[in-house]
Amino acid sequence: MTTQSISATLPVSTREIQLAARPEGAPSAANFALVTRPIPELADGQILVRNTWMSVDPYMRGRMDDRPSYIAPFQVGAAMEGSAVGEVIASRSARIPVGAQVTHFAGWREHAVLDAELATPVDTTAAAPQHFLGALGTTGLTAYAALTDVAPVRPGDTVFVSAAAGAVGSVAGQLAKALGASRVIGSAGGPAKTALLLEEFGFDTAIDYRAGDLAGQLAAAAPEGIDVYLDSVGGEHLRVAVAAMRPKGRVALVGAISGYNGATGEPGPDLYLAATNEVSLRGMLVSSYFPIFGEYIGKAAAWLADGTLRTRETVYEGLEQAPAAFLGVLSGANTGKMLVRLG
Ligand SMILES: NC(=O)c1ccc[n+]([C@@H]2O[C@H](COP(=O)([O-])OP(=O)(O)OC[C@H]3O[C@@H](n4cnc5c(N)ncnc54)[C@H](OP(=O)(O)O)[C@@H]3O)[C@@H](O)[C@H]2O)c1
């Protein structure tokens, strides 16, 4: 069945951010272009969404390169994409009416025309829309999957989290505590962020990795070693953490942001040490956990409501600021989730 539902005045054109050129090393504003385009007519089964918030995420750096990966590269001269939330303003789908709030993957633009089955309705009376891009989105699900399945936290564990003042890390530190960790250590760049780890996100110890001697700081924080490490950084963080693992420790390989702008990855950890300590290092992609997304959102919405989970956002205003927000998330301009408000 096809229904048509159109709100009073619909825009005929919209703006999007396209990949203008592939970066060599660190990206810059020159790699992006702001382009105005007509909005196509809706086909049967499609919806028109006015995006209100979009996410910028470190993994998007990999999509700017033209190389085989777990997700296709962005195309030069085409709109970029990523998670967004918005309001349906026209619908030719029986499943999603005008007025619904939905999440989808056609971010980096002010309006999106998409097949209704590619959109997920969300209940924005239960939580603010942008939370569905952060603690209630893939960010939160990543932290949850990492610490409950990939490198499960057991009561009494000592847990180390890198990029701890960021989106995944700030959720992970709080989850580790809720899962029974006796000591949760976070590393972040600079004194303002380390203060936030202690005061807002419930970490027991905060390490400023920019101050140097990461190994010494971690040894002081956990003289008897660590049981679980959530790695968002790779490189030196991973080497130092593996060297500090207790026997049968567990490492969730979530990201490796310290190497995202390099042509080759950073040098790895001492794997012989990992072998003889029976340490497991396990990679993960959040998409493998989409089957439990609904269940996770239910739990996390309750944690947000009762204060178990506290969040921070860094918000850039307007689509034209999206490239700056993205460059900022790569360089640490954010605390908590980096977001762009579109309207
Ligand atoms: N596997 C998956 O499915 C999956 C899903 C989501 C995210 N991830 C990964 O998880 C990590 C965190 O993602 P997020 O979205 O939550 O981003 P985020 O942590 O909110 O932002 C990235 C943070 O990385 C830190 N950083 C940048 N360069 C660094 C370096 N050289 N050394 C140490 N820290 C550095 C910055 O904080 P400081 O100021 O503290 O340096 C920055 O704020 C990323 O590696 C991302 O790719 C993986």
Side-chain angles (χ1 to χ4, degrees):
M1 187 187 90
T2 300
T3 58
Q4 177 139 14
S5 175
I6 306 285
S7 68
T9 15
L10 289 177
V12 293
S13 66
T14 192
R15 301 189 306 166
E16 65 186 28
I17 301 286
Q18 298 184 350
L19 180 65
R22 298 198 186 279
E24 308 252 338
S28 72
N31 298 118
F32 305 88
L34 179 63
V35 174
T36 300
R37 289 180 54 136
I39 296 176
E41 294 264 319
L42 295 193
D44 270 359
Q46 287 191 321
I47 55 175
L48 172 61
V49 184
R50 182 178 64 81
N51 288 338
T52 49
W53 295 86
M54 58 166 269
S55 177
V56 287
D57 299 271
Y59 78 90
M60 293 168 174
R61 171 64 189 85
R63 296 194 70 187
M64 297 176 83
D65 294 334
D66 188 11
R67 60 178 160 80
S69 183
Y70 67 97
I71 188 166
F74 295 130
Q75 295 303 308
V76 174
M80 296 175 61
E81 54 184 31
S83 298
V85 63
E87 180 189 359
V88 176
I89 59 170
S91 174
R92 293 191 62 190
S93 159
R95 196 172 78 84
I96 303 190
V98 167
Q101 298 282 330
V102 293
T103 56
H104 57 81
F105 209 58
W108 291 91
R109 66 202 84 186
E110 290 173 325
H111 297 85
V113 171
L114 66 158
D115 292 345
E117 64 253 33
L118 298 178
T120 305
V122 290
D123 179 4
T124 53
T125 60
Q130 69 273 24
H131 281 315
F132 292 92
L133 304 178
L136 303 184
T138 53
T139 291
L141 182 62
T142 300
Y144 180 78
L147 297 183
T148 58
D149 186 56
V150 182
V153 172
R154 297 171 189 151
D157 276 351
T158 296
V159 177
F160 179 41
V161 175
S162 55
V168 171
S170 59
V171 173
Q174 297 171 82
L175 279 183
K177 272 272 150 148
L179 290 165
S182 61
R183 171 157 290 269
V184 182
I185 303 157
S187 78
K193 289 192 179 185
T194 51
L196 197 67
L197 296 188
L198 302 175
E199 289 156 16
E200 183 108 354
F201 297 135
F203 285 79
D204 299 297
T205 311
I207 290 173
D208 176 1
Y209 73 87
R210 289 194 184 145
D213 190 17
L214 183 60
Q217 291 197 69
L218 185 58
E224 286 163 17
I226 56 180
D227 300 289
V228 169
Y229 172 50
L230 189 158
D231 186 33
S232 287
V233 171
E236 190 196 0
H237 267 82
L238 182 57
R239 285 194 297 280
V240 163
V242 166
M245 296 306 289
R246 283 175 167 156
K248 293 193 168 26
R250 301 166 301 285
V251 179
L253 300 171
V254 171
I257 195 167
S258 67
Y260 286 178
N261 287 325
T264 58
E266 298 236 332
D270 181 342
L271 291 179
Y272 183 62
L273 195 58
T276 53
N277 272 328
E278 297 184 284
V279 169
S280 56
L281 293 95
R282 191 173 151 200
M284 68 161 284
L285 284 177
V286 66
S287 49
S288 294
Y289 294 87
F290 285 173
I292 63 156
F293 214 154
E295 176 194 322
Y296 167 74
I297 290 174
K299 286 183 184 171
W303 294 331
L304 275 181
D306 72 13
T308 304
L309 194 52
R310 302 171 75 165
T311 60
R312 281 272 181 138
E313 295 163 355
T314 301
V315 178
Y316 282 53
E317 299 287 345
L319 184 69
E320 49 275 70
Q321 290 298 318
F326 171 66
L327 299 177
V329 82
L330 293 178
S331 62
N334 59 310
T335 48
K337 177 68 193 156
M338 184 67 108
L339 291 164
V340 183
R341 183 170 16 217
L342 299 175

